[in-house]
Amino acid sequence: MRRKLPLFSLLIVLILIASGCLPSVPKKILGPTWPSQYRIPLVRAKKINLGSEGEDGLGLEKVSLNYRSSYEEGDEPLTLEIFEERVTVDPGNIPVLSFSGELPSEGEYELPKDDQTKKIDFSFEGLGEYAEIKLSSEETFHNYIGVSLTGAVAGAQGLDIVLYANGAEVNKVSIPTGGSYGQLKIPGLTISSESKFTIEATGSIFIEQGASSPCLKFDPGEMEIEEFTVEDFGPIKDDLNLGSLEIEALKLREDDTDFFELQLKEAVFSFTPVLPEGLTIKADLTVEALDRWEQPIEDQSWKINNIELKKGKRNEFPDFKTVLNTILKDDTHSINIRLDNIKFSKAEDADAVTITYPGEIGLNHELTLALDYLTYGSSFDGPDGSTELEDVPLEIDEVNLFFDVENSSPVGLALEIWLSPDPIDHENPASNPKAVKNTLAIAAGTEKAPAKERFVLTFDPDKFTNLIEAKTVYHLIKFTNQTETYDPIAADDYLAITAWADITCTINKH
C-alpha cells in the first residue's frame, strides 16, 4: 500500500496538465486608464508698476510710457541763477577830511561856514568794473560809510556829516556832543561810473589836549549789489555762477532687475532761453548715460559744444531721439541732460547788460518721450525671471495656456510674453528654438476700473513637453505702446500678469 499512493498522486498531476486546468501567465498587464488634470504655473503674478511716487514713470523717476514736460502746459521754466549769492564789493578808500585853519591846541572849535577845507570830493574806485550798480536794501552789515573823529569829539553844536552824490544830498548823520562815531547809510543807492561824491562836515568839535591834526576818517563797509550794468563780463567772471544747469535727470532703475531694453518711438527736446536784454550765453549740451553707481558710462554720452543761447531764440536738437535710443542700453540706469561750461557775454548789438540779483535766466523747455517698447524681465536666474516646476508627467495629451492681464494705466499695450526652458536672450529671444512667443493686447484702464482680460491659448503638447522638461520655465515680457495719449501715468498705475497651463495627461496609458 505504501508504493501505490505516490503513483496515484503523480497520475492526477499529469491528467491536470494534459487537460490545461492550471492558471496561464498573461501576455501583458491589463488595467484601467484615466485622464488626469494638472495646473502648472508659468508666470507667478508679476506686477509691473508703470508709475513712481511723486513722478510720472515706469516705476522709475520721471520716465513713463508717455511723458511730456513743457512750459506751455503751465510748468515753471528751468532756471539758472547767475549769482549763487549776492555780490559784495570793496568800494575802495575815501580820503581823510583834515581840519585846518587856526585850530586851538585844546577846546571848542566851530567849523567855519562856506569853507572848502571842511569838504572832500571822491569816487568809489572799487566799483570801476561796473558801468552802474544799485545797492541792496541791507544796511546793517553792508552799504554804509563809518565816520570816526580822531583827536577830537563832537563839540557843543554837535557835528553833522552830509554825503552828496552829483550835488544831491544822499544821507546825513549827526554825531552828538561828546560823540566820535556815526554812519552814513546808503542802501538802495545807484552809483554810475560817472558819479562824483562829496562829504561835508558842519558844526563844532572839541579838540582834546595834546591832540595833533584832528580829522574825520571814513571807513566804507562792503557794498552789496542788487543790480549791475556791465559792458564786459571778463572783470567780474569770478562773481558769476559758471557751473552746470541740469535740464532733466531721468532715473531709469535702481538695480539690474527692472528691464532689459527700452526703445523710444518719439523723443523731442528743445528750449527757448529767457534772458536779460543784451545777454548772450554759450554752453555745451551734454546727454550722459550713468551706471548704477551714477558714474558716466564710457562711450555712452553725447555732447554739442558751444551752443549759443539768445533771448527768444529756439534751440532744437533733431538727433535727440537717435542719441537717446543709442545710449539706452542694458547697463544704463539713469540719464542726465544738462548744460555745461556756461559762459556769459554781452550781445554784439548791445551796449551793455543789466543784471538784477539773483540774475535768474530761464529755459522754456519742451521734452517729449514716447515709449516704443520695453523688455521687462530679470538679469539673473531666480523667482523674478523663472518658475521652478514640480514633477510633471510627460505623457501630455492636451494643453491650454491661460494669461490673466490687468492694466490700470491710460495706455493700451501690446504684449509679447516669451517662455523658454533656458535663460532668454533678451536681444534675440527667438534664437532658442524652444522659446515660445505669446502675443496679447490689453486696453487702457483706470485706477477704479482697470482693464482685465483672460486669454486662453491652445498649445501643442509636444512643444509644451519641450518647454517643461528642464523643470524650469523662464519668462520675458515685452510691452509696446499702442496709444498716442499723453495722459499722465499715476504712481500706482500697473500692469499685472499671471500665466499658467492646464494640461491633460493619460495615466496608465496602454
Side-chain angles (χ1 to χ4, degrees), residues 33-40 391-399 461 464-465 468 502-509:
T33 63
W34 68 93
S36 181
Q37 299 289 329
Y38 286 83
R39 175 159 289 182
I40 301 173
D391 291 336
V392 179
L394 298 180
E395 291 292 334
I396 299 173
D397 297 326
E398 183 180 347
V399 179
F464 190 76
T465 299
I468 66 171
D502 281 352
I503 66 172
T504 301
C505 301
T506 301
I507 303 301
N508 197 20
K509 186 174 182 180

Side-chain angles (χ1 to χ4, degrees), residues 90-96 124 143-148 181-184 199 216-222:
D90 182 351
N93 297 321
I94 299 176
V96 172
F124 290 113
N143 306 330
Y144 66 86
I145 300 173
V147 182
S148 301
Y181 182 78
Q183 283 187 349
L184 290 166
I199 293 179
L216 279 173
K217 292 183 177 180
F218 304 99
D219 181 23
E222 284 190 323

Side-chain angles (χ1 to χ4, degrees), residues 182-202:
Q183 283 187 349
L184 290 166
K185 303 286 188 179
I186 53 174
L189 181 64
T190 297
I191 305 171
S192 75
S193 58
E194 306 297 326
S195 296
K196 302 298 181 182
F197 294 90
T198 299
I199 293 179
E200 181 179 13
T202 59

Side-chain angles (χ1 to χ4, degrees), residues 11 14 47 104 115 133 144 147 194 213 260 384 386 443 492 503:
L11 180 61
L14 291 172
K47 186 175 182 180
D115 187 344
I133 67 167
Y144 66 86
V147 182
E194 306 297 326
S213 303
F260 287 125
D384 289 337
S386 62
D492 52 359
I503 66 172

Side-chain angles (χ1 to χ4, degrees), residues 179-347:
S180 62
Y181 182 78
Q183 283 187 349
L184 290 166
K185 303 286 188 179
I186 53 174
L189 181 64
T190 297
I191 305 171
S192 75
S193 58
E194 306 297 326
S195 296
K196 302 298 181 182
F197 294 90
T198 299
I199 293 179
E200 181 179 13
T202 59
S204 65
I205 60 173
F206 185 89
I207 300 173
E208 298 171 345
Q209 184 179 11
S212 61
S213 303
C215 62
L216 279 173
K217 292 183 177 180
F218 304 99
D219 181 23
E222 284 190 323
M223 293 184 175
E224 185 178 72
I225 298 176
E226 178 73 18
E227 181 178 283
F228 70 82
T229 300
V230 293
E231 298 174 356
D232 181 10
F233 279 88
I236 64 167
K237 64 181 180 180
D238 292 341
D239 295 326
L240 305 177
N241 176 14
L242 300 178
S244 297
L245 172 60
E246 185 177 274
I247 298 172
E248 290 285 350
L250 307 179
K251 184 85 170 184
L252 302 181
R253 50 180 168 169
E254 295 293 339
D255 50 39
D256 290 322
T257 64
D258 287 326
F259 60 81
F260 287 125
E261 186 178 3
L262 184 149
Q263 190 80 6
L264 299 170
K265 69 177 179 181
E266 184 179 3
V268 178
F269 175 58
S270 66
F271 57 76
T272 304
V274 180
L275 305 176
E277 198 68 44
L279 178 66
T280 295
I281 295 177
K282 289 188 177 180
D284 301 338
L285 174 67
T286 301
V287 181
E288 189 173 55
L290 306 176
D291 61 20
R292 64 184 305 170
W293 297 280
E294 298 187 354
Q295 296 300 310
I297 301 172
E298 188 175 357
D299 300 326
Q300 280 184 229
S301 65
W302 182 58
K303 179 172 285 191
I304 302 178
N305 294 323
N306 225 24
I307 296 172
E308 188 173 60
L309 284 69
K310 291 185 175 181
K311 181 178 180 180
K313 177 187 174 184
R314 184 184 181 92
N315 295 80
E316 298 182 289
F317 307 95
D319 295 330
F320 186 65
K321 173 184 171 181
T322 302
V323 168
L324 279 190
N325 280 334
T326 299
I327 67 178
L328 282 171
K329 298 182 182 297
D330 191 24
D331 52 354
T332 300
H333 283 65
S334 58
I335 291 175
N336 188 274
I337 305 170
R338 65 180 185 272
L339 293 178
D340 292 324
N341 300 322
I342 297 172
K343 304 178 185 69
F344 303 98
S345 63
K346 177 176 63 70

Side-chain angles (χ1 to χ4, degrees), residues 397-460:
D397 297 326
E398 183 180 347
V399 179
N400 287 314
L401 297 186
F402 290 79
F403 296 89
D404 275 356
V405 183
E406 194 168 318
N407 179 24
S408 71
S409 79
V411 182
L413 301 171
L415 307 176
E416 286 183 13
I417 302 175
W418 288 82
L419 304 172
S420 173
D422 307 306
I424 302 173
D425 180 358
H426 70 275
E427 293 183 351
N428 185 15
S431 61
N432 186 339
K434 293 183 179 180
V436 178
K437 180 175 76 170
N438 302 278
T439 303
L440 314 171
I442 185 73
T446 65
E447 178 184 2
K448 295 182 178 179
K452 297 181 181 181
E453 293 282 351
R454 171 169 290 183
F455 302 90
V456 183
L457 308 177
T458 58
F459 200 76
D460 181 83

Side-chain angles (χ1 to χ4, degrees), residues 353-370:
V353 182
T354 298
I355 306 293
T356 301
Y357 177 85
E360 188 174 83
I361 65 174
L363 290 183
N364 286 336
H365 72 288
E366 295 181 46
L367 175 65
T368 300
L369 302 177

